[in-house]
Structures are given as structure tokens and as C-alpha cells.
Amino acid sequence: MIANYHTHTPRCNHAEGAERDYIERALEAGFVELGFSDHTPYFFDKPDYYSTFRMRPEQLEDYVSTLLRLREEYKDRITLFIGLEAEYYPKLFPRLLDYIRQFPMDYLILGQHALYNETEGIFSPRPTEDERLLDQYQGQTMEALETGLFTYFAHPDLFQFTGDPKAYDRHVRAICRKAMDLSIPLEFNLLGYSEGKHYPDPAFWRIAGEEGCSVVLGSDAHSPKETWSPDLIAKAETLLAGFGIHPMERVTLRPIR
Ligand SMILES: [Zn+2]
Ligand SMILES: [Zn+2]
């Protein structure tokens, strides 16, 4: 692992540590590239609703200007990229794009934390055996990938389906094929792996291997030390090799212009 594109900052209310500390940790790791992709702000259409796990729109300017300064300061040692981890909420996405296009945004990663437009309250990690929701997750994330705006798909196995394994296989295979067709890498999420969450889900990665998907490791760092964990990376690589997957070292970013 010589690059990580999944790094947070305290603006999302559930990460800690200064940007500089994440960068120093990446240098310690020998990374050549580090991308920040904090949880995007969003404009919700219910006045009394705002999710607590993302920055506010008015914080985006400080996020970008802080990283631009650090990019300049560290330019001889590491390449820094400015991105966001964003959900694809069909009704709200156009306004978000209009807003973030005012900033020099190097990339977006897709992290689909909720279905529909979030205000329906159906969150991807909540276990369900309802195949209609799995179907919605599949359709919504495939539509997201088709926009061509996402550089990669973070924790694509975030949706926790506890129903019929055959249904899971069918839906996951469709997502994997779509990502393949569009040359979009899937992220094996190291944070979920280290914390023993329901993802990474071996059932998902077996299918991704069979389908020949491109895969990238993502730290999903919410603290500087999580930027790089050599033992964890070695374990992940061994697991993935068992599915015939060899993660790519770098990804080609899709800038938002
Ligand atoms: Zn987070
Ligand atoms: Zn994340």
C-alpha cells in the first residue's frame, strides 16, 4: 500500500486529529499519495433534518483551504488530494454538485450510508432481510456509478443483508459487473476489517474476485494512526489473495469540474 484515498477530519464530528497528523502518519508509511475524503456536507430538503456524521456546508471552505495550504507545504514529500466521501441521494445530488463545483475538488468516493435520500431513515448498515431494500441499494449505487463522478466505491458491502444468500449473490454480482463495465474500483475497507464490523463481507469479496473486479485498500482513517496499519494491510492482502484479488496500488482520480 503506497496510497490511501479514504481519510477523514474532525469536521464530520466522529474523527479526531489534525490533518497534519494524518499526513505525518502517511509519510511514516512511505505513502506517495494521500487523499482526504471527509464526509460531504449535504443540503437536505427537510428543514428540521441534518445528519450529525458530516460537515456542514459552511465548513467546506475551511476544509479545502486548509488542505490547499498543506498540499503546498508538503509538495516535495507527498502528493495530497482533496476529495469527499459522498452518498448518492438522487433528489439532493444535483444541488450538492453545484455547491462543491465552486471548490477545486480532486475526487469523490461513493459511500452509500443510507438509502433513498437519507431522510427516510433507512441506513445501510442496519441488518435487514428485506430483499426490496437490497434491490434499492443495488439500483441506487449502480445509478451513482453511472454518473461517472465517483472515483471509487467505498465499502460497497456496507449494506447488511441477512436474507436469502442467493438473492445477495445476484445483487452483488450486478454491482460488481457495473463497476467492472465502468472501470470503477471497489474499496476493501480496512477500518471495518480492524473493528470486526459486518463488512468487509467475505461473501461479497468472493463474488468480486470471481467477477475480476479492480480493488483498492482504503484506510477510512478517523484518527491519524488508522491512516496506516501494516499488520492489518498484510492480513487484508492475504485474505483477498484467497479470492484471487490483488489490490491496485493507486487509482486514477476523476476530478469534479
Ligand atoms: Zn466516518
Ligand atoms: Zn469514510
Side-chain angles (χ1 to χ4, degrees), residues 6 8 12 14-15 37-39 53 85 113 155 191 197 220-222:
H6 196 164
H8 290 278
C12 67
H14 62 280
S37 50
D38 205 1
H39 294 279
F53 60 93
E85 177 177 15
H113 298 97
H155 39 57
L191 183 67
K197 294 187 180 174
D220 200 357
H222 287 74

Side-chain angles (χ1 to χ4, degrees), residues 4 45 48 84 87 105 109 119 140 149 158 168 233 237:
N4 170 50
D45 53 2
D48 53 344
L84 290 168
E87 297 80 1
M105 201 56 66
I109 58 174
T119 47
Q140 195 165 340
L149 294 166
L158 183 65
Y168 187 72
I233 293 165
E237 284 175 342

Side-chain angles (χ1 to χ4, degrees), residues 8-219:
H8 290 278
T9 80
R11 292 174 192 77
C12 67
N13 306 311
H14 62 280
E16 58 183 27
E19 291 84 353
R20 183 181 298 283
D21 298 327
Y22 289 85
I23 297 166
E24 290 293 335
R25 181 70 173 171
L27 288 170
E28 215 179 297
F31 287 179
V32 296
E33 294 182 346
L34 180 69
F36 282 84
S37 50
D38 205 1
H39 294 279
T40 187
Y42 240 115
F43 296 93
F44 292 99
D45 53 2
K46 282 191 179 169
D48 53 344
Y49 182 82
Y50 198 83
S51 44
T52 53
F53 60 93
R54 59 180 76 255
M55 71 175 86
R56 294 248 162 206
E58 59 272 24
Q59 290 177 290
L60 187 58
E61 181 159 23
D62 173 68
Y63 173 69
V64 171
S65 62
T66 302
L67 292 173
L68 284 172
R69 274 197 305 279
L70 288 163
R71 171 189 282 173
E72 181 59 24
E73 182 184 332
Y74 282 90
K75 66 172 189 277
D76 298 328
R77 295 196 274 165
I78 189 166
T79 305
L80 296 181
F81 294 112
I82 306 170
L84 290 168
E85 177 177 15
E87 297 80 1
Y88 175 70
Y89 296 144
K91 268 203 304 191
L92 313 176
F93 196 63
R95 178 154 183 218
L96 173 66
L97 275 180
D98 282 349
Y99 186 65
I100 64 180
R101 279 192 169 120
Q102 300 174 64
F103 300 91
M105 201 56 66
D106 296 318
Y107 68 107
L108 296 180
I109 58 174
L110 175 65
Q112 193 66 39
H113 298 97
L115 302 189
Y116 305 102
N117 296 284
E118 189 174 307
T119 47
E120 293 78 5
I122 302 167
F123 289 89
S124 306
R126 195 169 63 195
T128 179
E129 53 185 31
D130 188 342
E131 201 181 320
R132 288 167 306 180
L133 295 181
L134 176 60
D135 197 53
Q136 176 64 29
Y137 181 78
Q138 178 207 316
Q140 195 165 340
T141 57
M142 282 175 33
E143 194 177 307
L145 299 179
E146 280 165 359
T147 65
L149 294 166
F150 291 98
T151 285
Y152 81 50
F153 190 175
H155 39 57
D157 42 355
L158 183 65
F159 188 84
Q160 189 172 182
F161 185 65
T162 53
D164 178 10
K166 282 204 198 77
Y168 187 72
D169 186 295
R170 201 166 56 242
H171 288 86
V172 164
R173 219 169 273 282
I175 292 172
C176 288
R177 285 184 184 164
K178 179 59 72 180
M180 277 281 286
D181 286 351
L182 298 168
S183 307
I184 299 175
L186 304 175
E187 178 209 70
F188 183 91
N189 190 273
L190 293 170
L191 183 67
Y193 193 43
S194 73
E195 293 185 342
K197 294 187 180 174
H198 69 278
Y199 63 93
D201 182 343
F204 184 100
W205 295 100
R206 181 181 52 74
I207 296 163
E210 287 169 6
E211 295 295 332
C213 291
S214 299
V215 174
V216 60
L217 300 179
S219 303

